[in-house]
Amino acid sequence: MLSSNSRSFFLAALLLTGALPTTAQKTKPLDAAAIEQRITGLLQQMTLEEKVGQLNQYSGREVTGPASNRKTDLLNSIRSGQVGSMLNVKGVQDTRAIQAEALKSRLKIPLLFSLDVIHGYQTVFPIPLGEAASWDLAAIRESAHVAAREAAASGIHWTFAPMVDIGRDPRWGRVMEGAGEDTYLGAQIARARVLGFQGEKLGGTDAIMACAKHFAAYGAALAGRDYNVVDMSEQQLWEVYLPPFKAAADAGVATFMNSFNTLNGVPATGSSYLQRDILKGQWNYPGFVVSDWGSIAEMVPWGYARDKADAAQKALAAGSDMDMESDAYHTTLAQLVKSGQSDEKQLDDAVRRILRKKFELGLFEDPYKFSDLKREKKVLNDPQHRVAARDAARKSIVLLENRNNTLPLAQPRSIAVIGPLAKAKRDLAGSWIVLADTTQITSLHDGLSKRAGKNTQIRYAKGCEVEGSSRAGFAAAVETAKTADVVVLAVGETWDMSGEAKSRTDIRLPGVQEELFQALKATGKPIVVVLMAGRPLIFNTIADQADAVLYGWFPGSEGGTALADVLFGDYNPGGKLPSTFPRNMGQIPLNYQQYNTGRPVTKPGDIRYKSAYIDAPNTPRYAFGHGLSYTTFKYDALKIDKASLAAGQSAQVQLTVTNTGKVAGEEVVQLYLRDLVASVARPLKELKDFQKISLRPGETKTVTFTLTPDKLAFYNRQLQWAAEPGEFQLMLGSASDDIRLESRLTLLP
Ligand code: GLC
């Protein structure tokens, strides 16, 4: 409907007629009680259709994108108060124009504008799995804050992030969007991201509503196939998959999004167990739940609802407050209420939850407060944002191998930069970016060229594509390698091989990339491999034979700069894997929280009648928490202030860590626990705390952890969260498979 020139004319007309307030009258934000009163007053005025209208969310592509057949009715629905929120409308111009349409409605209730701002809006940060590898909660929070600043300056009120699904199957494409396999790390990161997006309190124009998604257990899709069933024990659900959602709720996350999967037979969208019993009941959650795209109507193909009306009835009853794009509420809910099949009280509760957020954002006082053309221009061009993106990218990079201290590069005379990702830009942004100008992304080749300066020659050959079987580029790549002191080979996945609906049955390096590595290896030149991907990959030949291996994930706008910083040693990598890297597909799903079983392998190779494979070890290629440094660290002097704890008591765990190398570095000190005997078998180790510290060469720091009773607890067979008396093994280490100090602890009856 609104082509770009008519849109700007339309907008100018509105501005000239003063129909749009050009500056917001500064009004004191309403307190909670006043907001509830205002909502009650509005509800009393609202017709049934207007109430249902607040529950409808549609994609803006229909009204701001190229012509579509839905545009007119969608605009009419907006003008008649039949739409509560839009997604995929971005930028001040479009949000102002569409908001102006909504304010033509009888009650002038403003729209919420939402978008998938997952790891940056215009400035792209590393994919969330890459950021998780930093284990740096402050950097992760800052990344979300920068994304919120840019989005809020562009008319966006609400992001569909953080995705807090625990992902333990690298075949699933959305592992790129989360924080990896561990519940404790995932919960800490969930909190950091919520606070980064929302700040301490909603209402500022440098903060946006966050959304904890996808509720719940979406990451456990059977066989790693997206949108598939999820079957799991209640104990697993509560112990592994729910805690990051609870952490987000405790951090004040404004909204939740439910998920496409069924949980033990019931679609999450229709699950009152998840949405009413747990979220709005036990957790007393005050925000609202938006369905995932079309998930309400998808209960029909699931075979859980007869038709859209049945799906709408089930979804509202189950606690799905807003309907993203399935048109089920819009077309059937009023009739369902009139016929008594749906409860108007539940409808009113959903409306109240949605209106509460609009008040908290200040949209009733000033519906255009987030749509300021001047602020948009200033914030989107803030150079500090690229500084933050470079910092986040540096911290996300994981050094997997470094044989003979090949890295950092010792100012070589020439570097052969080879591989299908060497000059890639769009790929470095990864999946889930919405506006980034990908021509502004710094490629690895650009980063190295800038950093190398005139003393080092950079030579380039592509070698091969990411996918496909052509080896036509090998010869030129080999010739280029022969002329250089060192080879930097950039391989991995393309950006669209991970993300939503991007499950892969084979997570080995795609195409002939490992063959290219072997061809280059035959030249005898030192080879540094930089892998970029949205998931753990399998690359055993490279892992075995490369002189050094860096995992860059998809590092974002400043990815090439950050990789050059690490390659030249301007930054000493401190990243640690948030996910296990398997040796082969047959080990999947594989994560570090293994169980001893009744027949553990106690001696390598002794696998007769043991819980083992006859064709591969049980251990991963790279373990959760693994990450090398250009320096080394010594762990020492472990002390616990009390070896026995009475119920409810805490213990202080103390150790020293020394940088025993020649360069400064960062270390993530990880604390793991094992409950040796309990009413349910417990994993061999569980991450219970960590601290990331920086140490100068020779420097020693004392690190202290507090072991609270909560850290000894687990969900027992009665689903009670409780610690049981008995003995615990305490482990301090640099990785889940690199334990440096151990001790015992007893919890007294
Ligand atoms: C998608 C995703 C969800 C996203 C939503 C809006 O299908 O599952 O994570 O926020 O639709 O784009």
Side-chain angles (χ1 to χ4, degrees):
M1 175 77 187
L2 296 162
S3 64
S4 51
N5 47 19
S6 64
R7 191 170 58 215
S8 30
F9 169 77
F10 169 78
L11 188 60
L14 290 171
L15 287 169
L16 287 173
T17 58
L20 300 182
T22 46
T23 51
Q25 291 75 17
K26 287 274 167 279
T27 48
K28 193 167 71 60
L30 295 169
D31 64 27
I35 287 177
E36 294 312 306
Q37 274 174 347
R38 290 279 299 270
I39 295 170
T40 302
L42 259 178
L43 276 168
Q44 283 160 354
Q45 299 172 58
M46 292 170 88
T47 65
L48 180 55
E49 287 67 25
E50 286 166 336
K51 290 179 181 178
V52 173
Q54 288 303 303
L55 279 51
N56 300 324
Q57 181 184 63
Y58 290 99
S59 173
R61 279 196 281 269
E62 306 299 342
V63 284
T64 56
S68 95
N69 57 7
R70 272 180 45 189
K71 203 167 341 194
T72 315
D73 1 349
L74 190 42
L75 271 177
N76 291 336
S77 299
I78 291 171
R79 289 178 190 126
S80 56
Q82 291 302 302
V83 179
S85 169
M86 295 293 287
L87 70 146
N88 297 332
V89 178
K90 43 189 180 258
V92 163
Q93 278 209 344
D94 285 355
T95 53
R96 288 185 80 98
I98 303 296
Q99 192 69 288
E101 297 303 306
L103 296 177
K104 291 175 184 166
S105 62
R106 186 175 75 90
L107 294 171
K108 302 186 182 340
I109 297 174
L111 289 169
L112 282 173
F113 289 107
S114 56
L115 194 66
D116 289 288
V117 183
I118 309 296
H119 55 109
Y121 176 75
Q122 170 168 289
T123 307
V124 183
F125 284 78
I127 55 170
L129 189 60
E131 283 195 346
S134 74
W135 295 53
D136 187 323
L137 300 177
I140 288 168
R141 180 168 174 170
E142 177 58 13
S143 158
H145 176 231
V146 169
R149 281 195 76 216
E150 292 187 352
S154 304
I156 302 300
H157 306 132
W158 175 23
T159 178
F160 299 128
M163 183 272 222
V164 302
D165 301 303
I166 294 296
R168 296 183 158 184
D169 190 329
R171 293 172 294 184
W172 189 52
R174 300 194 80 164
V175 288
M176 57 71 58
E177 208 176 332
E181 70 187 45
D182 182 71
T183 300
Y184 179 78
L185 178 61
Q188 303 304 311
I189 290 176
R191 181 177 183 280
R193 285 186 168 140
V194 167
L195 293 174
F197 284 123
Q198 297 189 167
E200 295 297 337
K201 191 171 184 319
L202 281 180
T205 50
D206 67 342
I208 53 179
M209 294 201 303
C211 178
K213 70 184 187 182
H214 305 79
F215 196 57
Y218 177 39
L222 181 65
R225 200 177 82 218
D226 211 348
Y227 314 127
N228 207 355
V229 296
V230 170
D231 273 305
M232 68 171 63
S233 68
E234 292 283 287
Q235 199 265 349
Q236 272 291 294
L237 173 70
W238 281 90
E239 188 145 304
V240 176
Y241 293 89
L242 290 183
F245 287 100
K246 182 66 167 60
D250 291 345
V253 71
T255 64
F256 266 58
M257 181 186 291
N258 58 36
S259 55
F260 290 118
N261 56 287
T262 53
L263 176 62
N264 300 332
V266 178
T269 306
S271 169
S272 55
Y273 172 57
L274 285 173
Q275 298 173 124
R276 290 204 185 281
D277 299 353
I278 298 175
L279 181 62
K280 296 175 180 176
Q282 291 179 49
W283 295 356
N284 193 23
Y285 180 65
F288 70 85
V289 179
V290 62
S291 78
D292 202 339
W293 185 296
S295 68
I296 291 178
E298 287 180 12
M299 289 199 280
V300 177
W302 267 116
Y304 187 75
R306 278 187 313 283
D307 52 27
K308 258 189 187 181
D310 188 28
Q313 190 277 329
K314 286 180 167 124
L316 182 71
S320 290
D321 298 303
M322 186 177 277
D323 172 4
M324 181 193 294
E325 269 289 345
S326 82
D327 217 25
Y329 283 178
H330 192 187
T331 54
T332 71
L333 199 48
Q335 187 46 44
L336 286 165
V337 171
K338 282 175 192 152
S339 65
Q341 289 170 278
S342 287
D343 179 349
E344 186 158 8
K345 281 199 295 298
Q346 289 182 337
L347 169 61
D348 288 353
D349 178 61
V351 175
R352 178 176 291 275
R353 288 170 183 268
I354 293 163
L355 292 179
R356 185 179 295 139
K357 292 306 165 201
K358 296 185 178 183
F359 276 107
E360 287 173 5
L361 286 169
L363 294 177
F364 279 92
E365 278 62 43
D366 176 4
Y368 302 102
K369 72 185 272 190
F370 288 79
S371 300
D372 177 319
L373 280 167
K374 279 207 304 297
R375 186 173 64 234
E376 180 180 46
K377 195 165 171 352
K378 180 166 170 284
V379 170
L380 290 191
N381 294 293
D382 184 339
Q384 281 309 307
H385 293 176
R386 296 228 23 154
V387 172
R390 179 175 180 175
D391 179 56
R394 284 168 138 191
K395 291 175 174 173
S396 69
I397 294 166
V398 183
L399 179 61
L400 295 178
E401 304 283 358
N402 192 18
R403 296 180 172 103
N404 314 313
N405 292 319
T406 302
L407 287 178
L409 299 174
Q411 205 58 48
R413 288 187 313 277
S414 58
I415 303 173
V417 187
I418 296 174
L421 295 180
K423 287 195 170 182
K425 288 178 181 267
R426 172 67 190 85
D427 292 311
L428 270 62
S431 185
W432 287 117
I433 57 159
V434 279
L435 184 90
D437 171 0
T438 54
T439 60
Q440 300 307 311
I441 289 177
T442 306
S443 70
L444 173 59
H445 182 271
D446 294 349
L448 280 171
S449 307
K450 245 186 290 182
R451 172 61 182 74
K454 54 185 186 309
N455 309 330
T456 303
Q457 262 213 356
I458 300 291
R459 298 182 185 127
Y460 166 72
K462 189 168 193 177
C464 68
E465 299 301 333
V466 167
E467 293 183 279
S469 57
S470 166
R471 296 159 182 78
F474 279 26
V478 167
E479 285 318 302
T480 306
K482 283 177 180 168
T483 66
D485 292 342
V486 63
V487 175
V488 174
L489 174 64
V491 291
E493 290 182 323
T494 55
W495 69 270
D496 55 353
M497 296 177 83
S498 61
E500 183 175 355
K502 304 289 185 189
S503 296
R504 291 179 64 203
T505 59
D506 183 348
I507 61 162
R508 285 175 300 178
L509 206 51
V512 292
Q513 298 179 96
E514 274 208 296
E515 286 182 44
L516 173 62
F517 165 77
Q518 287 173 296
L520 297 170
K521 182 75 186 165
T523 65
K525 297 288 181 179
I527 303 189
V528 176
V529 179
V530 176
L531 283 139
M532 291 187 265
R535 55 160 53 90
L537 291 179
I538 293 170
F539 46 91
N540 290 313
T541 305
I542 286 175
D544 289 337
Q545 300 175 24
D547 297 280
V549 183
L550 284 176
Y551 217 76
W553 312 99
F554 287 124
S557 297
E558 287 293 334
T561 316
L563 285 164
D565 290 340
V566 169
L567 287 163
F568 276 93
D570 300 339
Y571 181 80
N572 178 3
K576 299 281 185 180
L577 295 179
S579 294
T580 298
F581 279 51
R583 294 175 188 279
N584 59 39
M585 295 296 294
Q587 290 183 307
I588 293 171
L590 178 67
N591 69 76
Y592 85 92
Q593 287 190 353
Q594 293 299 303
Y595 290 77
N596 205 31
T597 77
R599 296 194 175 194
V601 175
T602 49
K603 279 199 303 298
D606 169 15
I607 60 169
R608 272 172 57 78
Y609 298 106
K610 298 289 170 74
S611 179
Y613 302 99
I614 59 171
D615 60 351
N618 291 347
T619 54
R621 178 82 231 190
Y622 297 111
F624 173 80
H626 171 76
L628 303 178
S629 168
Y630 294 152
T631 186
T632 49
F633 299 99
K634 178 163 159 281
Y635 287 51
D636 206 353
L638 174 60
K639 282 199 297 265
I640 307 174
D641 66 347
K642 40 175 104 56
S644 299
L645 282 182
Q649 266 192 330
S650 296
Q652 295 302 313
V653 178
Q654 200 173 74
L655 71 152
T656 63
V657 181
T658 303
N659 178 341
T660 45
K662 298 188 176 54
V663 294
E666 291 164 311
E667 171 69 335
V668 179
V669 182
Q670 299 154 46
L671 184 152
Y672 295 92
L673 267 186
R674 178 187 176 185
D675 189 341
L676 292 167
V677 179
S679 60
V680 289
R682 303 297 306 145
L684 285 166
K685 56 174 74 86
E686 295 174 86
L687 181 73
K688 291 294 182 181
D689 210 331
F690 64 88
Q691 283 185 39
K692 183 166 189 175
I693 58 173
S694 302
L695 290 169
R696 292 185 307 281
E699 184 182 10
T700 296
K701 276 185 181 169
T702 299
V703 180
T704 305
F705 294 103
T706 301
L707 260 191
T708 57
D710 193 58
K711 291 188 186 289
L712 307 182
F714 62 92
Y715 283 98
N716 62 24
R717 273 177 295 177
Q718 291 72 41
L719 276 189
Q720 292 145 348
W721 178 252
E724 294 178 0
E727 211 173 355
F728 291 79
Q729 186 183 2
L730 177 72
M731 294 158 272
L732 279 301
S734 183
S736 60
D737 68 344
D738 181 4
I739 299 302
R740 304 288 182 85
L741 301 171
E742 294 199 32
S743 185
R744 290 292 167 102
L745 183 75
T746 302
L747 179 61
L748 301 171

